[in-house]
Amino acid sequence: MHKAEAKTFNSYAHAPLFTRELLWYRACIILAQLVLLALDLLSKYIVRAALPLHHNASFLPGFVELFHVENTGAAFSIGQGGGPVFVILALLIVCYITYYLFRQQRSACAITALTLVSAGALGNAADRVFVGTVCDFFSFQFISFPVFNLADIYITLGECLLLILLVSKTFAPAPSTLAKQDSKVRDK
């Protein structure tokens, strides 16, 4: 097997830092984070401009309505008034995720999950820095559930993907076990 053939998507730990491929990979991650951030901030801007505080509007009747609230806490309004702490934590998380993704190329699922988490953290942090509160506006009508926003959706989806990755790697047989099972099947 040639060295080029042996090189896998995840084998860039010792690769040069500035190859065209890695620069493109990093640019795509940053672009994805910025697009998701822009969508989140735009949605919050529209809600603040069109829907007065504590008012609602129909969105998906019987399922989700828009209900404008401003939140000074974290998820589910935990830690009310802790804005500066949440901003610092969000920035640390985003820096670590970006560093982790930039160190070497990752699987598409890991990239998606971590990009969603970092974009969501950035969206809520930007709201806290520039407005002082986080605009939440999606409210389920069929169950009692806290009001949330796009950034919260990003974070939740990213965490679910990370959990799936963790579980699939934790319970997957080791490659050597698969090779032994394969050879036993072929020998029969």
Side-chain angles (χ1 to χ4, degrees):
M1 182 184 289
H2 297 335
K3 285 184 181 180
E5 293 172 344
K7 193 176 193 181
T8 65
F9 187 67
N10 291 325
S11 66
Y12 289 88
H14 303 291
L17 294 175
F18 299 106
T19 65
R20 176 174 279 159
E21 181 181 348
L22 285 177
L23 288 174
W24 177 248
Y25 165 80
R26 292 171 181 155
C28 287
I29 290 170
I30 290 172
L31 181 63
Q33 288 173 331
L34 291 175
V35 166
L36 291 170
L37 174 62
L39 289 172
D40 175 60
L41 295 177
L42 178 63
S43 69
K44 292 171 182 174
Y45 174 80
I46 291 169
V47 167
R48 284 186 173 118
L51 194 60
L53 191 60
H54 301 294
H55 283 77
N56 63 339
S58 182
F59 185 63
L60 298 172
F63 185 64
V64 176
E65 71 177 358
L66 299 179
F67 182 69
H68 181 187
V69 296
E70 296 290 330
N71 180 2
T72 61
F76 310 119
S77 299
I78 296 169
Q80 291 293 323
V85 173
F86 298 135
V87 169
I88 291 168
L89 283 174
L91 293 177
L92 288 173
I93 289 167
V94 170
C95 287
Y96 179 76
I97 286 173
T98 304
Y99 168 76
Y100 179 79
L101 289 173
F102 276 22
R103 276 187 36 226
Q104 67 184 38
Q105 291 185 340
R106 307 289 173 180
S107 71
C109 189
I111 293 167
T112 303
L114 292 170
T115 300
L116 284 166
V117 170
S118 62
L122 278 174
N124 284 340
D127 234 16
R128 286 186 179 95
V129 168
F130 297 114
V131 181
T133 59
V134 175
C135 177
D136 290 328
F137 50 88
F138 288 122
S139 177
F140 286 122
Q141 291 181 302
F142 62 96
I143 59 171
S144 178
F145 192 80
V147 182
F148 55 98
N149 59 38
L150 277 182
D152 298 333
I153 294 171
Y154 298 160
I155 293 168
T156 303
L157 289 175
E159 289 172 350
C160 288
L161 283 173
L162 288 172
L163 183 62
I164 290 167
L165 275 173
L166 177 68
V167 169
S168 66
K169 289 188 187 271
T170 301
F171 295 108
S176 60
T177 306
L178 289 176
K180 287 177 188 175
Q181 289 173 349
D182 250 5
S183 65
K184 286 180 184 178
V185 170
R186 278 187 259 136
D187 291 342
K188 287 184 179 182

